[in-house]
Every structure is written in structure tokens, then in C-alpha cells.
Amino acid sequence: MTSTVNPAPAGQLAGKASGGESRRGIWLVFSGLMVAMLLASLDQTIFSTALPTIVGELHGVDHMLWVTTAYILASTIMMPVYGKVGDLIGRKSIFIAAISLFMVGSVVGGLADGMTALIIGRAIQGLGGGGLIILSQAIIADIVPARERGKYMGIMGAVFALSSVAGPLLGGFFTEGIGWRWAFWMNLPLGALAITAAVFFLHPHTRKQERPRIDVAGIALLAVASSALVLTTVWGGTTYAWTSAVILGLIALTVTAATGFVFVERRASEPVMPLRMFRERNFNLTTAAGLITGIAMFGALAYMPTYLQMVTGASATKAGLLMIPMMGGLLVTSTLSGNLVSRTGRYKAFPIIGSVVVGVSLALLSTMTADTSVVVTCAYLGVMGIGLGLSMQILILIVQNTFPAREVGTATAANNYFRQIGASLGAAIVGTLFATRLTDLLTGASLGGAGGAGGGANSLTPDAVHHLPAPVRDVIVSAYSDALTPVFLYLVPLLGIAAVLLAFVTEKPLATTIEDTPADSEQLRVPALPLD
């Protein structure tokens, strides 16, 4: 467990700096990390407004779910790998590799001429994207003490807030302007900028140990279990019946792989996810709460832009703009709560309150109908942003404060892994329920040629729906609203469970120093200190 000391005066901490140049160096590193996190977080949201048009053009509405799920699943599988390998061999080389892989996926997606190629590109992006988030968070933990880290976690939360709106907005802008493929091409200059920052401002420390042993068996079993679990939620009740041999086989594969994973991790010399972490109460509680938050957040956000376009008649760009209230709420509360944590050292109440507020927002969203005012919808989204800003980054801080610096990457990755499992489940479950309900509601309905090219409901686009005769348009709009909004209510009890779990978190003092960096880790050219 991370040792703590009495809070040091601000002047004493500042005295560790070697002058303004060191501070500028840290800010440059921090800025580069934020660009990397922005890349990863944008790609979880940028296709939300563009997706209806993309799948309509490529005649693949029935595969729409995979454009989101492929990215989330791939990044989820890779998170523990990046976290563990970073702790073992240092973070610079794999950080650059993750950005490069992300850029390769962007090229594949940008050149895609069908749904299969598009989904493959998104999966490759996810393989790199999982490392961008984890390694950025771990590098910050390497250079900023936990007591001071709250405000920087708040800034990271603000990056997610920005991407939650900038993503849908950019997706809409590209779709209506130069083309949706620019949602991929824009990653190339940003990725190059992040790599440049890593090359010049991250300095690898010379390793003094022999080649580390990579837990290949553990990684493989974790990938199989994660994939089988998500495929179960994606295919169950839609492509295959829940009682079909395929779904039952996937469930059995999930259980078998998970059991094998536990068995392997107990004996691995360098387990990718050490089981001893689960002996820590705070880790278990915050990880469970993070998983639930992931289900709620991505279950709602993955489909709200589509809802806004289809139901309110908003353009893709306007649908992105309508997400701004959520971004504003998240940005403000994330920044304020982070600063309050750094100032007071108290943090337990924030994620509890946040979970309750997110639950309230989901209950409000479930009351929407096709006639609900856009202003009211935006207000409900703003409430959700407030709740998410109070909880997301604070949960990561609690985890990092529970473990020593030599394990901070592995612990951060494990926590984020389960949150992303929640995101995968949330997007898949909500998407499955939404698609099933929508199909049922549209069955037998006359689309008046809206499908285009003989694609029927599979080729519906917001623009096509907008130009339909009013009676037909009203049927489709009502179907989209009635298919999605009730699903939000199903998520409310989960947030109540999260709040109860977090009430049992032990509020341990935040460390005011950084444990000595192991010889095999990464160091900056500048000393660790607050970024005041």
C-alpha cells in the first residue's frame, strides 16, 4: 500500500523544482499526454453522429453496433497488457507504439469501402487506444504526488468532457461537409504531435534487471474471456436466441476462460492482473463502481446523438452541439472536484454523490418522448455530465493511492479494464435492446422508400427520414423514441448499487510524495512536483 506522510507546505514541494524550465518541461509532457488521451476518448464518441449516415451509405444498419463495440472491446483487452508491460519495461516505447498502432487503424478506417473494413479499422484503433488512456494516467502518477494529483485528474476528466461533445460535433461536421472519413484522417496529425512530445520529453531510464517475463497465457485467456462475454451480449437475443448453442457456448467459453485466467494468474511470476490487488477493499469497491459507471455512461452516450438526429430532426452537427450541456456539467464538476480534493485531501463523498446524480439523469432521460422539448433533453444531459464529473477521475485516484508506484500502471489498467468491460456491456446491452425494440416497432411499417437502394430499414438515414411524408416520418420518429428511452430506466438501479458500494470506501490519506521510481520504469527529464 502507498505510504503516506504529513502534508508538506506548498513552498517545500515547490522547492523540489529546479526552476521555471522544469515546470515548463512538465507542462509540455502533460500537454502531450492530454493530446493522446483526447485521441482515444474522441474515438469513443466521434462516430455517434456520423454513424447513421455511414451505415446507411454502406448498407449496414444491422452491423451498426460493431462500429462502437469493436473499438471498445479491442481497447479493453489491451489495457491490462499496456499497464503491466509499462510497469515492467518502462512506458516510453510502448506509449509511442500504441499511438502508432492507433494511427494505422485510422488509415484502415479512412480507406474502408465496406462495413467489414470499417470495423477492422476500428478494432485496430482500439488496440492502440487502450494504451493511450492507461499510459497517460500512469505517467501522471509517476510525476505528481497523489495529494496534488486530484487537480490533474480533474483536467483529464475535462478532456473526456471535451471529447464527449467535440466527438459528436466533429463527426457531424465531417459528415455534412468534407466527409465522414475525416473522422479517421484527423487522427494522423494529432498522433504525430503526441509522438513528438513523447520522443522529446519522455526519457527512458536504463533498466538494471533481466528481460521481464510476459504473462502470455494470462493475456490470451483474458482476451478470450473478454471477447466471449461481449459477443454474448451483442448476439444474444438478436442474431441468436439466448438458448441457442452459439450463445450457450459463448457463456461456457467466458466462464472457462475466466476460470483458467484465475488459475494462471495465481502461478504467473509477473501476472498481467495480480490477484493480490483484489485483497484491497478500496480497489474492489471502486472497480465495481467504475464498471457500473461505464455501463451507464456508454450505454447512454453511444446512442443519444442518433436519437437526437432521428427524433428531433437535428442535423449531425446540431446533434453534436446539443451534447454541450453534458460536456459543460462534466468539465465544471470534474475540475472543481479535482481541485477540492487536492486542497482538502478529502475525496470519498464526490463519487457517491456523482453516482446518485447519474442515476437521476437516467431516470429523467427515460421520460423523454418524441414531443419532449430539445431544451429539456439538454437539461437532462447536463445533469448526467455533473454526475460523471464528480466520480470518474476520483475513482482512478483512489485506486492509484492504494498501491505503490511500481504497481500503479497495473492497478490503473485493471481498474480501467473493468470500467471498459462496463462500457462494452453498456453499449452492447443498450444497443441490443434498442435495435430489437426498433425492429419490432418498424416491422410491417411502410417506410415510403426511405430505405433507399432497396435497403429497407437497414438503410435509413436521418436525411431520408426528414424528407418522408409526415405520417410515415411520425411512425419512424415515434419508433426510435419508444425503442430507446425506456432502456435508460433499466440502468437506474445499477447506479444505486454503485452509490452503496462507494459508501464503504475507506478514505485513506493521499500521499504527498512519490515512492522511489524502480530502475525499470520511466522517468522524465524533470523532477516530480506539482504543476502549479
Side-chain angles (χ1 to χ4, degrees):
M1 184 181 302
T2 304
S3 59
T4 58
V5 296
N6 293 329
Q12 181 178 335
L13 287 172
K16 296 179 182 179
S18 58
E21 183 174 330
S22 294
R23 296 178 186 279
R24 285 194 299 271
I26 291 181
W27 272 111
L28 287 170
V29 172
F30 188 71
S31 299
L33 297 179
M34 293 305 95
V35 172
M37 290 193 69
L38 182 63
L39 278 172
S41 56
L42 270 179
D43 259 59
Q44 297 184 34
T45 59
I46 195 169
F47 290 96
S48 54
T49 46
L51 201 53
T53 299
I54 294 173
V55 298
E57 289 182 4
L58 300 179
H59 310 298
V61 171
D62 52 343
H63 293 106
M64 178 172 65
L65 180 60
W66 277 103
V67 179
T68 301
T69 304
Y71 180 90
I72 295 176
L73 177 58
S75 63
T76 300
I77 292 171
M78 291 302 295
M79 279 183 174
V81 179
Y82 283 116
K84 184 64 179 183
V85 175
D87 283 344
L88 290 175
I89 69 174
R91 312 196 201 280
K92 179 174 182 175
S93 59
I94 58 172
F95 186 58
I96 294 174
I99 299 172
S100 301
L101 190 57
F102 184 89
M103 294 169 69
V104 169
S106 297
V107 172
V108 173
L111 296 175
D113 58 358
M115 287 298 292
T116 299
L118 179 69
I119 292 170
I120 290 173
R122 292 285 288 157
I124 296 173
Q125 281 186 310
L127 294 176
L132 303 188
I133 296 174
I134 293 303
L135 296 172
S136 295
Q137 292 174 340
I139 291 170
I140 289 300
D142 287 343
I143 64 174
V144 180
R147 177 61 185 267
E148 295 293 326
R149 203 178 304 149
K151 54 183 132 180
Y152 308 116
M153 288 296 188
I155 296 175
M156 288 182 173
V159 170
F160 282 100
L162 177 63
S163 67
S164 69
V165 172
L169 182 59
L170 285 172
F173 174 76
F174 291 145
T175 299
E176 296 176 348
I178 56 180
W180 56 264
R181 295 180 190 276
W182 279 91
F184 289 103
W185 300 133
M186 64 168 287
N187 295 326
L188 303 184
L190 291 176
L193 180 62
I195 289 177
T196 299
V199 168
F200 287 100
F201 300 106
L202 277 177
H203 182 60
H205 193 281
T206 303
R207 293 179 60 251
K208 296 182 179 179
Q209 67 175 47
E210 296 180 358
R211 178 179 300 178
R213 297 179 180 177
I214 305 300
D215 182 17
V216 177
I219 293 171
L221 287 168
L222 186 64
V224 171
S226 304
S227 301
L229 176 61
V230 174
L231 286 175
T232 299
T233 60
V234 172
W235 287 344
T238 54
T239 305
Y240 302 98
W242 285 106
T243 55
S244 68
V246 173
I247 297 302
L248 293 178
L250 285 172
I251 294 174
L253 181 59
T254 302
V255 174
T256 302
T259 302
F261 175 74
V262 172
F263 180 82
V264 167
E265 295 303 274
R266 292 178 61 183
R267 290 160 175 76
S269 59
E270 290 290 352
V272 67
M273 191 180 294
L275 299 183
R276 64 178 177 276
M277 292 192 305
F278 295 93
R279 298 172 188 164
E280 293 288 347
R281 175 178 178 178
N282 280 3
F283 175 80
N284 292 331
L285 294 172
T286 54
T287 297
L291 186 150
I292 291 173
T293 301
I295 292 176
M297 179 179 179
F298 286 92
L301 298 187
Y303 298 98
M304 273 308 298
T306 297
Y307 175 90
L308 291 170
Q309 290 181 75
M310 289 294 198
V311 176
T312 70
S315 65
T317 300
K318 186 178 179 181
L321 289 172
L322 292 177
M323 300 294 288
I324 286 180
M326 196 202 74
M327 179 205 72
L330 201 161
L331 190 151
V332 170
T333 54
S334 176
T335 304
L336 287 179
S337 62
N339 277 280
L340 285 172
V341 168
S342 290
R343 184 176 302 175
T344 66
R346 307 300 297 272
Y347 52 83
K348 179 177 178 177
F350 294 111
I352 297 175
I353 297 172
S355 297
V356 173
V357 173
V358 172
V360 170
S361 72
L362 289 170
L364 293 173
L365 289 171
S366 72
T367 65
M368 296 187 305
T369 66
D371 299 321
T372 300
S373 165
V374 172
V375 174
V376 173
T377 300
C378 289
Y380 294 166
L381 290 172
V383 175
M384 172 170 281
I386 290 172
L388 292 173
L390 289 171
S391 59
M392 287 199 326
Q393 300 304 311
I394 303 300
L395 294 179
I396 296 173
L397 178 62
I398 295 172
V399 169
Q400 291 183 341
N401 192 56
T402 303
F403 297 94
R406 65 180 177 274
E407 295 180 334
V408 72
T410 301
T412 302
N415 179 264
N416 275 272
Y417 167 80
F418 285 104
R419 180 182 297 184
Q420 284 293 86
I421 283 291
S424 297
L425 292 174
I429 292 171
V430 172
T432 298
L433 292 173
F434 175 38
T436 301
R437 291 169 59 88
L438 181 62
T439 300
D440 291 342
L441 290 170
L442 290 179
T443 297
S446 174
L447 301 182
N458 256 2
S459 296
L460 280 175
T461 65
D463 184 65
V465 172
H466 178 71
H467 288 91
L468 284 173
V472 179
R473 182 174 65 246
D474 291 344
V475 170
I476 295 175
V477 167
S478 295
Y480 265 84
S481 180
D482 295 343
L484 182 61
T485 55
V487 179
F488 294 143
L489 190 61
Y490 304 159
L491 302 176
V492 173
L494 293 178
L495 274 301
I497 295 173
V500 171
L501 291 175
L502 291 170
F504 291 95
V505 166
T506 301
E507 192 172 53
K508 302 174 183 178
L510 295 173
T512 56
T513 60
I514 298 175
E515 185 180 300
D516 289 338
T517 308
D520 61 349
S521 71
E522 193 84 11
Q523 290 210 23
L524 294 177
R525 296 182 185 274
V526 290
L529 78 164
L531 310 184
D532 292 313

